[in-house]
């Protein structure tokens, strides 16, 4: 039996503890990224450069253009396209810091050559892109991958992504998204790690480490950009771009920690979010971008605007016009503008008129140059611009194998009545029904900027490969994603009648989640529900595979199915990964990173909420905080996920009922595989702070442990709780631990187990 843990604090053994803390040490102090952050405030090389720069060149260093639509280098017959020629001229004049979402490494190299050889000061460009969950090898969407509860896996897929992206000419990714999302209506839930800050921190730092690798100057190191700073996940009503009202304590307790964890892991950039918080849009938010980021956290990297977000200060009603917007954004601490070109357009005049201090501009330029230097661009401007790597480093077999591994580890089994899963590979007639069975277009998921659609393995293909030729398989779409198909339901019902087991693959299309894709109804589209209802009425054992970028409200026919499986958007190897789990070659091991509500009207809905003064009793009389129509509990809680065996948790045991400040507490529980199959358990440690000056969550995750158990085997999982784990953000916005009463439990999910009390006394 092997136990591992992503958090060094909670390691099962000294060996894993050392490995964990060494990883932190290497990343924290050994790599250039961190060295750059600790570099003296004035770097003579950068100061010399700064002295020679004109205000236009400075504004240029703060300006990045989007490259999509620019087109390829030169069409030999028609010559360069105008947009491209303008860009090349801008580069030659030293008026552009780089491009994002360019898709041509050769063109990138040519541009770099112009920047280095033709521009007056030869400052290299930087190439960025939204490489969110893979470049050509698509890994599961970040939310799906987070369901692995395995930060190590997230680090490995980020590393593989970095190798591909840098082979494609990308040096900086606008990722990871580390927004904590507690409202499933928000389409961008799919981009992050879900609703829990602790898990969000572990996954954020892992992704940063994976993207950046051990040496930021290496050809295959991809600069990370944790985003969107900050509070973007708290947009009201889950509507993308909406306003957010976040008390300072909640901001610091819930939304900021994954950013801090990312910076501690070496991230040198961040992106200002589109939303306002309490009326102050992030791009112009001095408190966020300067007081907290640079003041409290001593962050020495750069802040980039989000796609035109400085211009949006005008639309928000926060700035009078474009120039005012630029003034407010730069002064707040937003160093670089992407897409709109407003910094280049307005900074020179703003400085000349005295409205914007040159010192503020200089500081922004310093930050940009420092990051370029940390990436090694001044010594090696052609790093990650080697077209030869396109042939060797894209879709490497090991990356594709990793996509399959990540795919299956992201799958969450919600329900498995009478062990309908795993399915036998022979002897049963299967009907594969639903709009996603043969679909390739929705396999990868949102945010693939340069998708390789044809590489996606469909579900049908995955099943056929698993079963071999001659398998008894009926394949029927039944309906489209959002529309009925003529005769579709009849054909599906006929197939179900002839089958022993029905597998229905239903859910959301790619464009139903992601940016600008919020939903008021987080449901399966009606034509699909009609299909499921009709097939369910046939009465055959039914397995529901869900495709989704968020937790969904499930219709009764899905809830009543024998098995329900979350498959998110699993990426290139989607069909293979699902087949691996469906036929039992690998048991499911994912856990929900978001709570499934019973009804959409419960949103925002998350396990780690505060207690009201009238806590609702799930089965009690209707006196507590509750809705008339529905229980306040989750349909499937955060952390839930089954395997193909059964497990039993013994009582949580603590070393002592009372500890003193400065001491640690050992917490353990015995877990037993009570079934007949191998099992991978993800034990979860939750605490509750019983009394606090800011009411605390009824439960908060503080540790996870992965345990493999043979049938009949038991293991003791043990965590060490320290005062730091019991700290919270106080009314004065400082984080500290108070003596007092606490509860702790080791449980298979956020709603299970019986917490036990302990006391923390002053030192
Ligand atoms: C998104 C960012 C993204 C940027 C650049 C914006 O619309 O909000 O997440 O990085 O575009 O493509």
């Amino acid at each position: 039996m092997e136990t591992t843990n992503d958090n060094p604090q909670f390691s099962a053994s000294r060996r894993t503890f050392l490995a964990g803390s060494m990883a932190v040490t290497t990343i924290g102090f050994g790599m250039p990224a961190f060295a750059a952050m600790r570099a003296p405030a004035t770097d003579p090389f950068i100061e010399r450069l700064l002295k020679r720069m004109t205000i236009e060149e400075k504004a240029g260093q703060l300006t990045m253009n989007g490259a999509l639509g620019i087109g390829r280098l030169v069409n030999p017959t028609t010559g360069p396209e105008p947009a491209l020629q303008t860009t090349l001229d801008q580069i030659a004049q030293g008026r552009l810091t780089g491009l994002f979402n360019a898709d041509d490494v050769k063109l990138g190299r040519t541009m770099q050559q112009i920047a280095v050889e033709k521009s007056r000061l030869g400052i290299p460009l930087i190439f960025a892109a939204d490489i969110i969950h893979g470049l050509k090898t698509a890994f599961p969407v970040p939310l799906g991958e987070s369901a692995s509860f395995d930060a190590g896996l997230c680090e490995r897929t980020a590393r593989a992504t970095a190798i591909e992206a840098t082979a494609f000419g990308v040096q900086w990714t606008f990722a990871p998204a580390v927004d904590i999302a507690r409202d499933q209506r928000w389409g961008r839930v799919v981009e992050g790690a879900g609703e829990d800050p602790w898990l969000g921190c572990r996954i954020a730092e892992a992704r940063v480490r994976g993207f950046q690798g051990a040496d930021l100057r290496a050809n295959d190191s991809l600069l990370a950009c944790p985003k969107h700073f900050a509070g973007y996940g708290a947009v009201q009503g889950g509507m993308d771009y909406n306003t957010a009202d976040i008390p300072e304590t909640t901001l610091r307790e819930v939304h900021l920690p994954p950013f801090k964890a990312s910076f501690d892991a070496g991230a040198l950039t961040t992106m200002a979010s589109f939303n306002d918080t309490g009326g102050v849009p992030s791009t112009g938010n001095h408190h966020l971008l300067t007081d907290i980021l640079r003041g409290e956290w001593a962050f020495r990297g750069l802040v980039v605007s989000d796609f035109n977000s400085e211009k949006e200060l005008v639309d928000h009603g926060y700035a009078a016009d474009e120039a005012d917007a630029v003034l407010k954004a730069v002064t707040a601490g937003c160093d670089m503008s992407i897409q709109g070109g407003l910094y280049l357009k307005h900074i020179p005049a703003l400085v000349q008129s005295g409205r914007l201090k040159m010192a503020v501009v200089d500081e922004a330029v310093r930050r940009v140059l420092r990051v370029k230097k940390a990436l090694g661009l001044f010594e090696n401007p052609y790093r990650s611009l080697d077209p030869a790597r396109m042939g060797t480093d894209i879709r490497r077999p090991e990356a594709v194998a990793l996509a399959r591994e990540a795919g299956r580890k992201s799958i969450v089994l919600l329900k498995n009545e009478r062990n309908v899963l795993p399915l036998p590979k022979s002897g049963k007639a299967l009907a594969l029904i639903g709009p996603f069975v043969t679909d390739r277009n929705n396999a990868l998921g949102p945010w693939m900027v340069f998708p390789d659609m044809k590489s996606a393995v469909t579900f049908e293909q995955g099943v056929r490969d698993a079963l071999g030729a001659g398998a008894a398989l009926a394949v029927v779409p039944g309906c489209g994603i959002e529309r009925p198909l003529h005769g579709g339901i009849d054909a599906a019902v006929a197939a179900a009648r002839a089958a022993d087991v029905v597998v229905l693959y239903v859910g959301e299309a790619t464009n139903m989640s992601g940016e600008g894709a919020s939903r008021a109804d987080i449901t399966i589209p009606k034509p699909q529900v009609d299909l499921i209802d009709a097939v369910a009425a046939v009465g055959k054992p039914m397995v529901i595979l869900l495709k989704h970028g968020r937790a969904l409200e499930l219709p009764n026919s899905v809830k009543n199915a024998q098995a329900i499986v979350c498959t998110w958007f699993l990426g290139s190897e989607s069909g293979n990964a699902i087949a691996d789990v469906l036929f039992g070659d690998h048991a499911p091991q994912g856990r929900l990173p978001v709570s499934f509500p019973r009804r959409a009207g419960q949103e925002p809905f998350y396990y780690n909420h505060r207690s009201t003064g009238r806590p609702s009793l799930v089965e009690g009389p209707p006196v507590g905080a509750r809705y008339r129509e529905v229980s306040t509990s989750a349909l499937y809680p955060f952390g839930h996920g089954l395997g193909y065996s059964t497990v039993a948790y013994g009582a949580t045991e603590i070393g002592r009922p009372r500890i003193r400040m400065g001491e640690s507490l050992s917490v353990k529980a015995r877990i037993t595989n009570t079934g007949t199959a191998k099992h991978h358990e993800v034990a979860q440690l939750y605490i509750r702070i019983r009394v606090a000056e800011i009411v605390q969550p009824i439960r908060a995750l503080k540790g996870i442990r992965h345990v493999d158990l043979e049938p009949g085997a038991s293991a003791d999982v043990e965590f060490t709780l320290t005062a730091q784990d019991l700290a919270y953000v106080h009314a004065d916005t400082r984080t500290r631990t108070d003596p007092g009463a606490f509860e702790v439990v080791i449980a298979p999910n956020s709603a299970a187990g019986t917490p036990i009390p302990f006391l923390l006394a002053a030192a």
Side-chain angles (χ1 to χ4, degrees):
M1 183 214 69
E2 174 79 351
T3 65
T4 53
N5 195 327
D6 304 311
N7 179 5
Q9 227 170 326
F10 293 127
S11 336
S13 67
R14 187 167 160 73
R15 186 174 60 78
T16 42
F17 176 80
L18 287 175
S21 52
M22 269 161 57
V24 171
T25 308
T26 318
I27 274 82
F29 302 103
M31 66 190 272
F34 209 85
M37 292 174 83
R38 290 186 306 151
T42 50
D43 175 324
F45 169 79
I46 288 172
E47 294 308 311
R48 276 197 301 276
L49 209 46
L50 204 54
K51 280 211 181 75
R52 296 174 59 204
M53 292 172 83
T54 64
I55 185 63
E56 287 76 18
E57 285 165 338
K58 289 177 184 175
Q61 276 311 305
L62 308 180
T63 300
M64 173 170 275
N65 286 356
L68 282 182
I70 279 185
R72 293 179 186 271
L73 181 51
V74 176
N75 178 329
T77 48
T78 62
E81 296 169 33
L84 175 58
Q85 191 53 55
T86 311
T87 303
L88 298 181
D89 293 345
Q90 214 179 326
I91 294 169
Q93 291 159 7
R95 308 233 163 127
L96 197 64
T97 204
L99 283 111
F100 71 96
N101 289 345
D103 69 347
D104 187 333
V105 60
K106 283 201 197 124
L107 173 57
R109 207 178 160 89
T110 303
M111 288 175 165
Q112 192 66 301
Q113 200 173 359
I114 295 173
V116 173
E117 294 178 11
K118 301 241 169 77
S119 77
R120 202 173 67 87
L121 297 174
I123 300 174
L125 300 167
I126 183 168
F127 291 94
D130 290 284
I131 309 301
I132 311 293
H133 56 108
L135 182 100
K136 298 295 178 190
T137 309
F139 296 99
V141 289
L143 181 67
E145 191 182 66
S146 303
S148 69
F149 271 47
D150 184 346
L153 177 73
C154 298
E155 181 169 342
R156 287 161 62 213
T157 62
R159 185 87 291 275
T161 297
I163 292 171
E164 284 200 4
T166 52
F168 195 72
V170 182
Q171 299 152 339
W172 179 17
T173 178
F174 294 146
V178 302
D179 305 306
I180 298 298
R182 301 167 139 196
D183 191 325
Q184 302 302 309
R185 291 171 295 181
W186 191 46
R188 304 195 80 167
V189 167
V190 71
E191 293 177 46
E195 71 192 38
D196 182 71
W198 187 90
L199 185 65
C201 286
R202 303 292 79 80
I203 290 182
E205 64 201 12
R207 287 188 171 136
V208 168
R209 286 198 298 263
F211 285 137
Q212 299 197 161
D215 177 2
L216 205 48
R217 289 161 199 261
N219 253 321
D220 65 1
S221 167
L222 187 62
L223 182 66
C225 182
K227 67 184 187 186
H228 306 79
F229 196 70
Y232 194 27
V235 285
Q236 284 183 4
M239 187 173 71
D240 204 10
Y241 314 127
N242 205 6
T243 185
D245 260 323
I246 315 172
E248 185 81 10
T249 43
T250 307
L251 183 74
R252 288 169 183 268
E253 190 79 57
V254 176
H255 300 281
L256 295 187
F259 288 94
K260 181 68 167 62
S262 301
F263 302 139
D264 289 346
L268 289 180
T269 76
T270 188
M271 180 182 280
S273 58
F274 282 130
N275 62 290
D276 75 85
T277 303
V280 184
S282 299
T283 307
N285 193 327
H286 191 274
H287 178 58
L288 273 180
L289 304 187
T290 297
D291 299 344
I292 294 181
L293 195 58
R294 272 74 186 234
E296 289 178 33
W297 294 356
F299 174 71
R300 300 198 59 238
L302 72 87
V303 176
V304 62
S305 71
D306 199 350
F307 208 94
N308 244 349
S309 63
E310 68 278 12
K311 163 148 186 319
E312 293 182 11
L313 297 183
V314 178
D315 303 299
H316 273 289
Y318 188 74
D321 52 28
E322 282 184 0
D324 190 32
V326 172
L327 177 65
K328 287 188 166 132
V330 180
T331 313
C334 180
D335 307 302
M336 183 188 286
S337 140
I338 63 164
Q339 184 65 21
L342 293 194
Y343 277 24
L344 186 61
K345 192 167 157 196
H346 293 288
I347 284 179
L350 281 168
V351 170
Q352 270 138 27
S353 68
R355 288 174 74 195
L356 177 59
K357 289 200 178 66
M358 183 67 99
V360 175
V361 177
D362 283 352
E363 189 52 30
V365 175
R366 262 185 207 108
R367 291 171 184 147
V368 172
L369 296 178
R370 233 169 16 218
V371 167
K372 288 188 174 181
K373 193 174 173 210
L375 271 185
L377 281 168
F378 285 99
E379 298 144 36
N380 180 12
Y382 300 103
R383 56 147 290 174
S384 319
L385 289 171
D386 173 7
R389 282 186 58 208
M390 289 276 290
T392 53
D393 287 354
I394 307 272
R395 288 192 61 79
R396 293 171 309 142
E398 53 269 48
V400 176
L402 179 60
R404 185 167 180 165
E405 178 192 340
R408 61 181 174 246
K409 288 183 171 169
S410 303
I411 290 172
V412 185
L413 179 61
L414 296 182
K415 175 182 182 186
N416 192 20
E417 236 171 51
R418 285 178 272 128
N419 293 331
V420 63
L421 291 180
L423 297 175
K425 283 192 178 165
S426 60
K428 292 248 192 243
L430 296 183
L432 310 184
I433 298 175
F436 297 110
V437 173
T438 59
D439 170 78
R440 209 180 290 278
N441 296 335
N442 296 282
L444 305 183
W447 268 122
M448 293 299 293
V449 183
F450 310 111
D452 181 0
M453 288 294 190
K454 57 182 190 324
S455 72
V457 179
T458 67
F459 175 53
E460 181 192 7
Q461 192 58 51
V463 171
R464 290 201 186 278
D465 288 352
L467 299 187
L473 212 57
V475 174
V476 184
C479 64
I481 297 170
E482 290 187 273
R483 61 189 170 83
L485 280 182
H486 184 66
I489 290 190
D490 291 346
V493 166
R497 285 212 178 97
D500 298 311
V501 180
V502 179
V503 181
L504 265 159
Y505 195 5
V506 291
E508 299 184 296
T510 299
N511 63 10
M512 290 183 189
S513 47
E515 185 174 352
S518 295
R519 299 186 65 199
D521 292 319
I522 51 170
T523 49
I524 297 171
K526 171 111 181 11
Q528 294 187 58
V529 176
D530 292 343
L531 171 71
I532 305 163
D533 290 350
V535 170
V538 174
K540 294 291 171 68
M542 194 162 87
V543 175
I544 300 280
L545 303 178
L546 295 173
K547 182 181 280 293
H548 50 138
R550 52 164 64 77
L552 294 171
E553 173 188 322
L554 302 177
N556 284 338
S557 50
V558 169
K559 286 188 216 165
N560 295 331
Q562 278 66 45
I564 311 175
V565 189
C566 294
T567 74
W568 321 101
F569 297 90
L570 290 180
S572 309
E573 289 292 295
S574 182
N576 286 335
I578 298 173
D580 283 346
V581 168
L582 212 58
F583 297 106
D585 292 328
H586 294 268
Q589 63 179 69
R591 299 293 184 268
L592 286 180
V594 281
S595 305
F596 267 60
R598 292 172 190 275
R599 293 274 286 277
Q602 290 174 277
E603 298 292 336
F605 186 68
Y606 46 94
Y607 84 95
N608 44 357
H609 58 84
R610 298 189 176 112
S611 179
T612 67
R614 295 189 167 194
S616 67
L617 303 170
V618 175
E619 303 302 338
V623 290
R626 53 159 48 199
Y627 299 105
R628 292 182 71 213
E629 301 87 353
V630 64
S631 150
T632 47
S633 66
L635 179 66
Y636 292 108
F638 173 90
H640 172 72
L642 305 172
Y644 286 150
S645 195
T646 48
V647 279
Y649 274 64
T652 301
E653 293 169 24
I654 52 176
R656 284 167 291 163
R658 185 170 182 273
I659 55 166
R660 289 190 170 280
M661 201 71 83
E663 293 176 348
S664 59
L665 181 70
S666 145
V667 186
K668 66 178 179 185
R670 170 152 289 213
I671 303 174
T672 305
N673 180 346
T674 51
T676 53
K678 286 186 178 181
H679 185 81
H680 182 93
E681 183 59 15
V682 183
Q684 300 156 39
L685 177 82
Y686 295 94
I687 65 142
R688 177 172 183 181
I689 303 173
R690 288 299 324 196
V691 182
E693 65 177 42
I694 302 290
V695 174
Q696 290 299 298
I698 57 160
R699 271 194 188 191
L701 183 69
K702 292 293 172 186
I704 51 182
R705 185 69 44 78
H706 290 260
V707 187
D708 285 310
L709 289 168
E710 295 294 325
S714 295
D716 287 332
V717 293
E718 188 167 351
F719 297 85
T720 304
L721 214 47
T722 67
Q724 208 193 333
D725 303 310
L726 307 174
Y728 70 94
V729 178
H730 286 58
D732 63 3
T733 74
R734 307 237 171 245
T735 302
R736 58 179 174 273
T737 309
D738 295 338
F742 299 83
E743 287 175 358
V744 63
V745 65
I746 298 173
N749 64 60
S750 62
T754 308
I756 52 162
F758 68 93
L759 293 172
L760 173 68

